[in-house]
Amino acid sequence: MWLLIALLLGVPAGGQVDTTQAVITLQPPWTSVFQKENITLWCEGPRLPGDNSTQWFHNSTAIQTLTSRYSIISASVNDSGEYRCQTGLSVPSDPVQLEIHRDWLLLQVSSRVFTEGEPLDLRCHGWKNKLMYNVIFYQNGKAFKFFPQNSELSILKTNTSHNGIYHCSAMGRHRYTSAGVSVTVKGLQSSTPAWFNIVFYLIVGIITLVDTVLCMTIHKKLQRKKKRNLAISLDSNHGKKVTSCLQKDRHLEEELKCQEQEEEKLQERTHQKKPKKEER
Ligand SMILES: *[C@@H]1O[C@H](CO)[C@@H](O)[C@H](O)[C@H]1NC(C)=O
Ligand SMILES: *[C@@H]1O[C@H](CO)[C@@H](O)[C@H](O)[C@H]1NC(C)=O
Ligand SMILES: *[C@@H]1O[C@H](CO)[C@@H](O)[C@H](O)[C@H]1NC(C)=O
Ligand SMILES: *[C@@H]1O[C@H](CO)[C@@H](O)[C@H](O)[C@H]1NC(C)=O
Ligand SMILES: *[C@@H]1O[C@H](CO)[C@@H](O)[C@H](O)[C@H]1NC(C)=O
């Protein structure tokens, strides 16, 4: 029973984000850039008062920067790789994979791995920010969106159907085609909504409570009955009648009824025999 109550109090909040984990945001928001472009990484997380310090990791090696902002100016191939950050009261962030490319056309995505329901932004980006025409976005080799000029494409709420490899093509001096970028949308882990868990534990809790109360009531009644039995057996006149009643009616409900009747009788009797008892 205590186990159930413990379970009730500690209802696991499934699918909740760890609030003490640091988070990296990119500015501009793309996980891949061309060489010589600039990109700034920001680290957000809980801090100790008076302690701004942020620890950054690049390819699992701590880097010197201790501010919440890590700026990459004129990116080179060596700047690519995995970035993590950590603030005073946080656990290290999820990694951000940064890619530095050399190409004519680049399909940029805001994130490569995320959870269903989160937004996804895509951009077909030309080298040196050149204006491009007749831009086509592809998912798994299939064209799904056309723009007359470079444009960003936003998917506000992703679902698992957005999984796949994306690329784009666009007209400049020639028609250029970008490399493919793999995007993974993870389905929600728990298919049961949160309210279901709450209602389930609530019902279990109520049943446990009702059970406990019933159990205690019956236990008390039985104890009272035992005491009364003792009192009754002392009574020589009516004792036999009453005990036979108790022996006959084994069934609990009937016993209880029987007890109620006896209780009335007993009350009458004790009332009559009060002076006699006080003599003992
Ligand atoms: C990158 O930043 C530097 C210094 O802030 C600036 O001079 C340069 O023009 C920037 N490059 C790009 C591509 O924006
Ligand atoms: C924290 O950051 C602010 C500005 O962002 C700065 O003025 C202050 O000196 C910093 N404090 C410490 C302890 O680094
Ligand atoms: C990248 O790193 C390698 C060694 O780690 C070094 O030899 C090379 O010069 C670096 N390239 C740039 C562009 O910084
Ligand atoms: C980090 O790793 C990436 C590939 O994983 C590599 O291209 C890059 O040069 C590495 N950078 C450093 C500074 O180790
Ligand atoms: C996924 O989202 C698209 C809209 O972006 C919608 O048309 C499609 O029906 C959704 N698919 C599923 C399986 O929910």
Side-chain angles (χ1 to χ4, degrees):
M1 191 192 75
W2 291 116
L3 190 75
L4 275 170
I5 287 171
L7 270 172
L8 183 72
L9 292 175
V11 178
Q16 226 176 37
V17 182
D18 189 353
T19 48
T20 60
Q21 192 175 28
V23 174
I24 294 178
T25 47
L26 301 171
Q27 197 180 36
W30 313 113
T31 55
S32 53
V33 294
F34 282 125
Q35 278 191 15
K36 301 206 174 128
E37 286 184 330
N38 301 333
I39 184 161
T40 302
L41 289 79
W42 294 89
C43 186
E44 270 177 74
R47 294 161 196 282
L48 290 161
D51 172 25
N52 290 2
S53 70
T54 303
Q55 185 60 64
W56 288 95
F57 302 92
H58 181 198
N59 292 350
S60 302
T61 315
I63 44 183
Q64 288 307 309
T65 309
L66 293 175
T67 57
S68 60
R69 188 178 80 168
Y70 180 64
S71 290
I72 298 169
I73 293 171
S74 189
S76 76
V77 176
N78 287 357
D79 292 316
S80 58
E82 183 188 275
Y83 287 86
R84 281 177 193 268
C85 77
Q86 184 173 18
T87 57
L89 291 174
S90 73
V91 294
S93 66
D94 284 333
V96 165
Q97 287 288 338
L98 193 65
E99 287 178 7
I100 315 297
H101 285 261
R102 268 190 78 177
D103 207 343
W104 291 106
L105 198 62
L106 180 65
L107 181 86
Q108 296 176 303
V109 293
S110 52
S111 177
R112 291 192 199 85
V113 179
F114 45 87
T115 310
E116 193 172 4
E118 289 176 336
L120 167 64
D121 294 325
L122 303 149
R123 180 163 86 142
C124 196
H125 177 45
W127 167 238
K128 289 194 172 170
N129 235 352
K130 286 246 171 69
L131 200 59
M132 309 294 272
Y133 301 92
N134 299 338
V135 180
I136 303 169
F137 286 88
Y138 299 84
Q139 182 189 11
N140 296 325
K142 228 178 109 184
F144 73 96
K145 193 82 189 172
F146 170 85
F147 291 103
Q149 284 186 8
N150 314 41
S151 176
E152 286 178 27
L153 175 62
S154 288
I155 296 167
L156 296 178
K157 273 194 153 201
T158 50
N159 56 46
T160 48
S161 77
H162 297 109
N163 265 306
I165 294 169
Y166 290 82
H167 78 274
C168 67
S169 75
M171 265 325 261
R173 217 189 287 175
H174 312 277
R175 178 154 281 273
Y176 299 104
T177 300
S178 78
V181 177
S182 175
V183 166
T184 307
V185 183
K186 289 184 285 187
L188 294 170
Q189 277 159 356
S190 164
S191 54
T192 53
W195 65 262
F196 177 84
N197 284 337
I198 291 166
V199 168
F200 175 78
Y201 282 113
L202 218 69
I203 287 169
V204 170
I206 288 165
I207 289 169
T208 311
L209 213 75
V210 168
D211 260 11
T212 312
V213 168
L214 265 175
C215 220
M216 278 162 79
T217 315
I218 289 166
H219 188 68
K220 269 187 191 163
K221 279 211 170 178
L222 286 173
Q223 270 190 338
R224 255 199 292 163
K225 196 182 78 185
K226 269 187 198 165
K227 273 184 199 163
R228 226 182 298 122
N229 267 351
L230 215 68
I232 288 159
S233 59
L234 288 173
D235 193 319
S236 52
N237 285 341
H238 303 273
K240 274 181 189 172
K241 228 180 178 178
V242 172
T243 26
S244 67
C245 173
L246 281 170
Q247 277 169 348
K248 260 189 230 166
D249 307 319
R250 287 265 164 87
H251 213 270
L252 186 68
E253 272 184 49
E254 282 170 324
E255 258 183 78
L256 288 178
K257 259 188 224 163
C258 199
Q259 276 174 30
E260 273 166 28
Q261 288 166 2
E262 284 158 24
E263 214 160 350
E264 281 166 27
K265 281 184 207 165
L266 203 70
Q267 271 171 358
E268 283 169 32
R269 253 181 281 138
T270 40
H271 197 67
Q272 288 165 1
K273 294 183 181 178
K274 233 179 186 174
K276 202 178 172 185
K277 270 189 179 170
E278 278 174 354
E279 277 173 21
R280 282 185 197 173

